[in-house]
Amino acid sequence: MFDEQELAEISQQRESWEAETLDPSLERGERKERFATVSNHEVDRLYTPEDIADLEFDEDLGFPGEPPYTRGPYPTMYRGRTWTMRQFAGFGTAEETNERFHYLIDEGQTGLSTAFDMPSLMGIDSDHPMSEGEVGKEGVAVDTLRDMEILFDGIDIDDVSTSFTINPSAAVIYAMYIALADQQGVPRDEVRGTLQNDMLKEFIAQKEWVIPPEPSLEIVTDTIEFAVEETPKFHPVSISGYHIREAGSTAAQEAAFTLADGFAYVEDCLERGLDVDEFGPLLSFFFNSHNSIFEEVAKFRASRRVYARLMEEWYGADEPESKRMKFHTQTAGQSLTAQQPLNNIVRVTIQALAGVFGGTQSLHTNSFDEALALPSEKAVRVALRTQQIIAEESGAADIVDPMGGSFAIEKLTNEMEAEIMDYLEEIKAMGDGSIRDGVLEGINQGYYHREIQEASYEYQQRVERGEEVVVGVNEYTIEEDTSPELLHVDETTRDRQLERLEQVKADRDDAAVDATLEALSDAIERDENVMPYIVDAVKAYATMGEIMQVFEDHHGAYREEISPV
Amino acid sequence: MSIENDERTIRCMVAKVGLDGHDRGAHVISRAFRDAGFEVIYSGLHKAPDDIVQAAVQEDIDVLGISILSGAHDTLVPKIMDGLEEYGAKAETLVLVGGVIPEEDRDELEAAGAAAIFGPGTSIEETIDFVRKNVPDR
C-alpha cells in the first residue's frame, strides 16, 4: 500500500525516533519484559507501515461484501441492520421453554435459540440410567416428536428462525423440526434455522458423541445433502471453534482447527458429488470472543480471508455466497470468574465489542453469574442490555470494519493468517494429504488433545506465576460472600418428563416404530442418506434414544482413547 | 536418603462423572498432580457413579477428585460417596470436588463427605497443598 520511497523515509524516521525519543524513555524500563495476548502471542510496542509493507489493498483487504471479505461479509454491515442478538435459552420441560419462547417472541425476538439438556445432547432418553440428575438441567429435555410439538406449540415455524445447539443427535432434532413443518403445513423450503451439528469439534473439544468420528461425519454430510435438496433456507451445520477455545486452545488454533473442520465437511460433500456452490452457502461458523481485543479482531478478519481464498483456490467455489464466511460469536465463558462476579459484565462487554469490531453476524453475550451456576434471569437481562448498549449507544455499529487500516490490526491479521495456514498444512500432512483425512487422523492420534492441553496448561501456569493477571483471582482480591440470585430448576421436571415419555410409548403404534427403525437400519446398511428414514421414525414417535441406538448397533459406541498429557 | 523417598507416593484419581464433557479442568489438574509427584489415574469421560466407585476401589487410591460442571453434582456426588461407603473405602479416600458448584449446594456435598470443593479460580498450588495436608494416613 506504500511505495518504496515512502517506506524508506518512514524507516529512517522510525530509527531517529528510536534513538532520540524512545531510548531515553526505555531507560526507565517498561511494565513487563514481554507483552503478549491471552494466547501468549507476543505483540510489539508499536506498528508502522513497515510492518504491513506487503499488504495489497485490493487483494488482502478490498471492500466489505466482496472477496476476500476481510472487511466484512456484507457491504453496509451494522448500518443496514445490527447483528442478531441471539441469547440461547432452554430449561426444564418443553412446556417451560415454550412459555419462554412465547415471551421472547412477544418481546420482538424473531430468532429462537434452543438449549437442550445433556441426555438429549448425548442422544439418550430421559429414562436412561445415565440421565439421572441431568433431565431438564442445562436445557430442555426432548425424547420424542411430542416434546417438539409442545416446544413449538402456538409458534408458526415459518415466522421464526430457530437455532438448535445439538450435535451427535442433531439429525434427529432436524428430522423432528421437519416433521413439525409437515404437520403445520409449512413447505420444507420455507424452514429457516441453524443446526450446530458439528461433530468434528465434538471429538476435538466438546466431547459429546455416540458413534466414532468417520460414521459421525457421514451423518453430517447426509444432513447437508438433505438440506440442499429439501430445506435450502436451513443451515445444517454451524462449524464451531467456540468449544475448541473454551477447552483451552489459542486464538490461532481456534481459527485453524475450525477452518480445517469446515474444509473437511466441504471435502466430504465434494466426494459425495455435491456442488460446492450449492452447499457452500449453507455452511456457517461459530467463534469465541476472548479478552485480547486486537487478537480477536485479527482472528475474525483473518478467518474470513482464509476461508474466501481457500474455498476458491482449493475447492473451486465460484459464487460469492460460497466464499462468504458468516459466523455467530459467543463471549468466552471460560474467562468469567466466580470471584467478584460483577466484574464479568466488563469482560463480556470487551469481548462483545471485539466480536462487533470483527464483524459477527450474531452474538450471544454470557451472563455474569455463569462461573457460579446456570444464569439467573437478571444476569441474562444484563447480558442482552450489554449488546443493546454497544449497538445503540457506543457508535461501534456505525462504521464498517472500524479497525481496518490500523497498522497493528493489519499486522496481527497477517500473522494470524500465516499461523492458520501453518496449522492447515500440518493437519493435511497428518493424513493422506486431504484436510478431511488429516482431521480424522488428528482426532485418532490425539493431536488436537495434545495441542489444546499444552496451550491450556501453559496458560494456567502463567496465571499461577502471576504473568497473566486475572482481576479478582490472582490480583485485587477481596474477601467476599458470593451468593447471587440463582436459577433453580424445578425438581419435578424429571418426573413430568418420564411420565410423558411413558405416555407417548403407550399411545404409539409399536409395530410402526419397529418398521421405521428397521428401514433406517437397512438404509445405513445400504449406505443411503439416512435423513428421510429418521423423519419417518420421528413421525412414528420413535424416541431419540431408539434412533441413535440403531446407529450405535451398526457402528459401535465411541470411546476416547486418551490420557492426560 | 532424602525425606521424599520415605514418603509414600500419593495415588489420585481424577474422575468425570455423568454426561458432562467439560474436561479442561480435569486435564489441567491431572497434569499438575503428576508434576507435583502424585500418581494420577484419569477416569475418562461419561462415567456412571458406579464406574468411578469400582475404579477407585480397584486402584486403591488415596485421593478422588471429581470434576463436574453440568449442574448434576447434587445427584451424582452423593451416589459416589454412598458407593465408597458400601465398599468401606470412604474413610480412607480424600474426596475433592471441582467445578461450578453453587454456594448453597456446598454444605450438602460436604455433609455427604466431600473434604473440599474447589471452584473456578482456585490455584493449583492451593489444591496440591490441601491434598498433601489432608491425605489420609494408612
Side-chain angles (χ1 to χ4, degrees):
Chain A
M1 289 203 299
F2 308 91
D3 66 42
E4 266 173 49
Q5 199 190 333
E6 229 179 326
L7 279 172
E9 276 170 31
I10 292 169
S11 170
Q12 216 170 21
Q13 286 161 4
R14 179 184 46 78
E15 278 165 28
S16 63
W17 168 76
E18 282 175 354
E20 290 158 28
T21 310
L22 176 66
D23 287 350
S25 277
L26 282 181
E27 278 165 24
R28 290 193 297 274
E30 289 180 315
R31 281 187 293 117
K32 294 191 241 182
E33 288 278 302
R34 179 175 176 274
F35 290 80
T37 65
V38 73
S39 303
N40 205 19
H41 181 91
E42 190 167 359
V43 294
D44 291 345
R45 175 181 304 111
L46 180 81
Y47 293 88
T48 72
E50 292 170 277
D51 291 296
I52 50 168
D54 297 333
L55 194 75
E56 294 289 344
F57 187 88
D58 55 337
E59 257 178 56
D60 298 326
L61 298 179
F63 288 88
E66 288 180 5
Y69 302 106
T70 312
R71 311 210 60 190
Y74 300 108
T76 61
M77 290 302 288
Y78 312 133
R79 289 167 69 107
R81 63 174 191 84
T82 55
W83 61 92
T84 305
M85 299 175 193
R86 201 190 280 278
Q87 301 292 93
F88 160 71
F91 55 95
T93 59
E95 282 90 353
E96 284 139 329
T97 303
N98 173 260
E99 214 174 289
R100 173 60 61 91
F101 279 177
H102 276 285
Y103 167 77
L104 292 169
I105 289 169
D106 292 344
E107 291 288 300
Q109 184 164 320
T110 52
L112 299 173
S113 179
T114 323
F116 294 93
D117 69 355
M118 282 305 308
S120 308
L121 293 176
M122 293 289 286
I124 60 177
D125 292 337
S126 299
D127 58 0
H128 190 284
M130 280 299 279
S131 299
E132 218 186 323
E134 321 247 21
V135 177
K137 264 268 161 71
E138 288 187 298
V140 60
V142 173
D143 292 309
T144 67
L145 177 59
R146 184 79 198 108
D147 298 312
M148 286 286 269
E149 290 162 3
I150 296 167
L151 189 57
F152 288 92
D153 187 38
I155 298 168
D156 290 329
I157 64 174
D158 53 350
D159 285 344
V160 292
S161 137
T162 310
S163 152
F164 298 101
T165 302
I166 192 159
N167 294 280
S169 46
V172 179
I173 290 293
Y174 179 30
M176 287 179 180
Y177 202 55
I178 288 165
L180 211 57
D182 291 353
Q183 271 183 12
Q184 290 192 1
V186 175
R188 289 184 179 180
D189 58 12
E190 288 300 321
V191 173
R192 287 173 301 132
T194 304
L195 201 60
Q196 190 166 85
N197 196 26
D198 172 10
M199 277 315 293
L200 292 172
K201 70 91 177 50
E202 291 299 328
F203 296 103
I204 293 172
Q206 183 162 252
K207 315 284 175 95
E208 288 162 10
W209 49 60
V210 175
I211 56 175
E214 212 151 335
S216 295
L217 174 57
E218 216 170 300
I219 302 176
V220 175
T221 305
D222 281 356
T223 61
I224 298 174
E225 183 176 37
F226 189 81
V228 167
E229 286 161 14
E230 299 276 327
T231 62
K233 289 184 184 164
F234 189 87
H235 296 287
V237 52
S238 169
I239 305 147
S240 311
Y242 185 79
H243 321 81
I244 294 172
R245 191 70 178 282
E246 287 289 296
S249 83
T250 65
Q253 287 172 334
E254 177 199 350
F257 297 168
T258 307
L259 282 160
D261 290 349
F263 296 143
Y265 296 126
V266 169
E267 290 175 6
D268 211 56
C269 287
L270 290 174
E271 208 167 296
R272 184 89 58 108
L274 303 182
D275 177 352
V276 68
D277 285 318
E278 261 191 292
F279 69 79
L282 297 187
L283 304 179
S284 64
F285 287 80
F286 171 25
F287 289 113
N288 198 301
S289 191
H290 214 293
N291 289 334
S292 297
I293 291 196
F294 307 128
E295 175 173 62
E296 293 304 314
V297 175
K299 177 188 79 185
F300 296 126
R301 298 172 89 244
S303 297
R304 270 195 302 267
R305 185 152 83 201
V306 171
Y307 187 68
R309 284 183 176 161
L310 297 185
M311 282 299 279
E312 183 176 321
E313 283 170 28
W314 288 2
Y315 306 115
D318 196 29
E319 294 297 323
E321 204 48 48
S322 319
K323 297 182 254 183
R324 191 196 322 263
M325 175 189 264
K326 304 160 292 266
F327 61 85
H328 172 68
T329 301
Q330 181 171 339
T331 58
Q334 183 277 323
S335 73
L336 304 184
T337 64
Q339 295 75 11
Q340 304 176 41
L342 288 176
N343 295 346
N344 293 326
I345 297 174
V346 183
R347 294 191 177 94
V348 168
T349 306
I350 292 169
Q351 297 161 4
L353 259 178
V356 169
F357 288 152
T360 192
Q361 278 52 72
S362 59
L363 181 62
H364 169 104
T365 33
N366 289 330
S367 300
F368 65 82
D369 56 2
E370 283 181 41
L372 299 166
L374 298 173
S376 65
E377 205 159 304
K378 178 177 151 199
V380 171
R381 188 179 316 120
V382 174
L384 178 61
R385 293 292 178 258
T386 303
Q387 295 200 37
Q388 290 162 337
I389 291 167
I390 292 173
E392 311 279 352
E393 298 185 14
S394 74
D398 300 348
I399 301 174
V400 177
D401 188 31
M403 290 208 179
S406 143
F407 307 126
I409 288 292
E410 296 303 351
K411 175 66 174 177
L412 292 179
T413 303
N414 288 349
E415 286 175 349
M416 184 65 72
E417 180 178 8
E419 247 189 288
I420 292 171
M421 290 308 298
D422 286 348
Y423 274 117
L424 291 178
E425 290 305 329
E426 194 172 306
I427 290 166
K428 267 187 171 179
M430 270 188 292
D432 62 8
S434 70
I435 290 273
R436 177 190 177 280
D437 201 52
V439 170
L440 290 170
E441 275 304 312
I443 291 166
N444 292 335
Q445 296 172 10
Y447 163 81
Y448 292 107
H449 176 68
R450 281 191 305 276
E451 286 282 323
I452 296 170
Q453 292 315 317
E454 198 56 52
S456 97
Y457 194 61
E458 204 235 355
Y459 170 80
Q460 188 58 38
Q461 287 182 313
R462 292 204 310 278
V463 173
E464 298 271 325
R465 290 195 298 261
E467 289 167 24
E468 198 77 52
V469 172
V470 184
V471 171
V473 174
N474 62 2
E475 284 272 18
Y476 316 110
T477 55
I478 53 167
E479 282 299 320
E480 63 180 329
D481 173 25
T482 48
S483 35
E485 243 176 84
L486 301 172
L487 173 88
H488 288 277
V489 176
D490 184 350
E491 294 300 330
T492 65
T493 298
R494 179 167 182 269
D495 296 341
R496 284 183 290 135
Q497 187 63 25
L498 291 183
E499 222 170 90
R500 175 148 66 232
L501 179 55
E502 213 173 302
Q503 192 61 49
V504 170
K505 282 185 178 170
D507 292 347
R508 70 186 186 178
D509 176 351
D510 284 337
V513 173
D514 290 346
T516 60
L517 295 176
E518 191 81 17
L520 172 62
S521 176
D522 292 345
I524 297 170
E525 200 62 51
R526 290 193 306 266
D527 224 1
E528 258 184 78
N529 190 315
V530 293
M531 274 308 297
Y533 299 94
I534 302 179
V535 173
D536 288 345
V538 302
K539 284 184 173 177
Y541 294 89
T543 70
M544 180 178 271
E546 288 166 340
I547 294 168
M548 293 311 294
Q549 189 59 48
V550 176
F551 287 97
E552 202 178 314
D553 290 345
H554 276 270
H555 302 294
Y558 179 68
R559 296 262 174 274
E560 188 181 42
E561 299 286 345
I562 54 156
S563 54
V565 175
Chain B
M1 293 291 288
S2 78
I3 302 170
E4 272 161 62
N5 281 355
D6 297 339
E7 276 183 12
R8 194 167 48 92
T9 307
I10 298 173
R11 281 170 69 78
C12 304
M13 185 160 98
V14 174
K16 288 296 304 180
V17 64
L19 300 174
D20 177 29
H22 292 95
D23 60 357
R24 177 176 180 169
H27 287 303
V28 167
I29 204 71
S30 297
R31 186 157 163 190
F33 277 179
R34 208 190 52 193
D35 288 354
F38 306 165
E39 225 175 283
V40 182
I41 300 152
Y42 173 55
S43 71
L45 283 169
H46 311 142
K47 299 298 176 199
D50 191 50
D51 297 337
I52 291 169
V53 170
Q54 298 287 344
V57 171
Q58 232 161 46
E59 298 282 351
D60 194 25
I61 53 160
D62 304 304
V63 181
L64 174 62
I66 305 167
S67 161
I68 184 158
L69 293 91
S70 68
H73 50 268
D74 50 348
T75 310
L76 300 176
V77 174
K79 278 187 173 248
I80 295 176
M81 302 308 303
D82 290 349
L84 288 175
E85 183 144 46
E86 220 170 282
Y87 283 90
K90 191 173 162 184
E92 53 192 49
T93 310
L94 180 72
V95 178
L96 314 174
V97 179
V100 177
I101 313 291
E103 198 68 36
E104 60 194 39
D105 291 351
R106 291 180 174 225
D107 291 347
E108 207 177 310
L109 296 190
E110 279 164 5
I117 294 159
F118 296 115
T122 309
S123 82
I124 287 179
E125 206 185 314
E126 185 187 333
T127 314
I128 290 170
D129 283 349
F130 186 89
V131 169
R132 288 216 168 101
K133 285 196 188 111
N134 295 282
V135 67
D137 290 324
R138 293 210 181 173

